[in-house]
């Protein structure tokens, strides 16, 4: 497993999450957060373990947490001089998401664009260009191994331009283990459109294509995407694909108070 990308810290966290893949799959309360170690049930995973992760890594992901428990989590983190940055959860079941997204997934692309094959080598130049495009769009990319599906069930969708550049991308994978009530839920994200190609509807198309694949290839029962409260364009995009705000759930990343927001 390889293909780490980004800052020294980002690459170290990617490596940690990959090395711990078997632990994550076999530990109640753990989940694969992609860029970091993560959990979907802090009580089952254990605060001692969460504390160790934050102390070692400076970050820990929280996925699909009951919104009623957020203040308790914030209080626990505050005692460790940490905070929780959160994202809203947009969620849909298979039938709803496919019905809404397929009309966009089947739209013909403008003449200068076409679907590109997903890189199969996590350390290839193709993969590096994909990760660089994500980073240029303000995202913290996953490792090449995550993006190729070498770490677990995953799909990465690319649209290329006439010169072979990555114009748009999206990724979906299955983060939750067999102990989780969200075992069948796919995470969708890393939706990015390179600056020269924006304003052409590619974001909605690539998101719809990713949604189609997580249900048809990964056999997910649901999909969720995470959007910050201020990101109006992304909220409209995921809503057009059938996802709706789920106020009973939230996702977040714990970091020391002195750190900046880990990703947008």
């Amino acid at each position: 497993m390889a293909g780490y990308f980004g800052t020294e810290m980002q690459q170290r966290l990617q490596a940690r999450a990959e090395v711990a893949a078997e632990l994550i799959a076999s530990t109640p309360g753990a989940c694969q957060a992609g860029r970091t170690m993560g959990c979907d049930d802090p009580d089952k995973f254990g605060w001692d373990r969460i504390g160790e992760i934050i102390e070692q890594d400076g970050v820990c992901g929280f996925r699909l947490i009951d919104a009623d428990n957020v203040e308790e989590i914030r209080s626990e983190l505050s005692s460790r001089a940490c905070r929780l940055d959160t994202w809203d959860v947009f969620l849909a079941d298979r039938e709803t998401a496919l019905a809404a997204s397929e009309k966009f997934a089947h739209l013909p692309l403008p003449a200068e664009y076409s679907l590109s094959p997903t890189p199969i080598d996590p350390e290839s130049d193709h993969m590096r260009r994909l990760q660089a495009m994500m980073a240029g769009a303000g995202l913290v990319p996953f490792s090449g191994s995550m993006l190729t599906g070498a770490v677990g069930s995953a799909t990465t969708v690319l649209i290329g331009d006439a010169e072979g550049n990555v114009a748009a991308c999206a990724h979906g994978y299955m983060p939750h283990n067999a102990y989780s009530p969200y075992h069948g839920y796919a995470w969708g994200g890393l939706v990015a459109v390179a600056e020269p190609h924006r304003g052409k509807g590619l974001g909605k198309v690539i998101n719809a294509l990713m949604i189609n694949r997580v249900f048809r290839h990964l056999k997910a029962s649901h999909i969720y995407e995470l959007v910050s409260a201020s990101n109006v364009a992304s909220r409209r995009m995921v809503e057009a694909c059938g996802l709706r705000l789920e106020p009973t759930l939230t996702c977040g990343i714990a970091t020391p108070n002195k750190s900046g927001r880990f990703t947008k």
Side-chain angles (χ1 to χ4, degrees):
M1 295 185 284
Y4 307 131
F5 184 92
T7 66
E8 182 179 346
M9 175 186 177
Q10 289 166 358
Q11 293 190 46
R12 178 170 53 82
L13 292 173
Q14 291 165 14
R16 273 265 288 156
E18 287 190 7
V19 168
E22 290 187 11
L23 170 70
I24 291 168
S26 61
T27 303
C31 72
Q32 176 58 266
R35 305 176 178 100
T36 70
M37 294 289 290
C39 71
D40 59 14
D41 189 325
D43 292 331
K44 289 182 179 178
F45 193 51
W47 277 103
D48 287 344
R49 182 181 274 131
I50 293 169
E52 290 172 1
I53 290 170
I54 294 174
E55 184 174 347
Q56 179 172 344
D57 297 343
V59 61
C60 183
F62 291 80
R63 290 286 184 89
L64 299 186
I65 301 299
D66 189 323
D68 290 339
N69 296 334
V70 169
E71 290 312 311
E72 180 181 347
I73 292 171
R74 282 202 161 108
S75 177
E76 180 68 39
L77 290 171
S78 178
S79 71
R80 303 170 187 272
C82 294
R83 70 175 191 278
L84 182 71
D85 295 324
T86 61
W87 286 260
D88 290 340
V89 175
F90 285 75
L91 176 68
D93 61 22
R94 174 188 174 93
E95 182 178 1
T96 302
L98 283 177
S101 64
E102 284 199 327
K103 60 186 175 184
F104 301 114
H106 295 310
L107 286 174
L109 293 171
E112 65 270 32
Y113 299 107
S114 61
L115 284 177
S116 298
T118 302
I120 58 175
D121 180 350
E123 295 192 317
S124 66
D125 289 341
H126 190 188
M127 178 61 73
R128 294 289 182 186
R129 289 195 297 271
L130 167 60
Q131 292 169 314
M133 191 278 272
M134 290 178 181
L139 302 175
V140 176
F142 285 179
S143 71
S145 297
M146 280 287 295
L147 293 171
T148 61
V151 178
S153 296
T155 183
T156 303
V157 192
L158 281 66
I159 292 174
D161 66 11
E163 285 73 43
N165 302 307
V166 180
C169 65
H171 177 76
Y173 77 109
M174 307 296 288
H176 304 279
N177 65 31
Y179 299 99
S180 172
Y182 306 112
H183 178 58
Y185 285 47
W187 177 93
L190 297 178
V191 180
V193 178
E195 181 68 38
H197 306 287
R198 294 175 185 171
K200 302 180 182 181
L202 296 182
K204 194 177 295 180
V205 171
I206 201 74
N207 192 62
L209 288 166
M210 178 270 295
I211 289 172
N212 192 283
R213 290 192 187 182
V214 299
F215 289 116
R216 301 199 182 282
H217 297 181
L218 307 186
K219 309 302 180 186
S221 63
H222 295 72
I223 185 168
Y224 65 96
E225 299 192 52
L226 311 180
V227 186
S228 64
S230 61
N231 194 338
V232 176
S234 291
R235 293 169 88 90
R236 289 174 177 167
M237 177 189 71
V238 299
E239 287 176 337
C241 291
L243 284 71
R244 294 293 177 264
L245 178 65
E246 180 46 72
T248 66
L249 298 171
T250 194
C251 290
I253 293 180
T255 56
N257 289 330
K258 62 184 179 181
S259 301
R261 196 173 175 96
F262 185 75
T263 189
K264 72 175 188 178

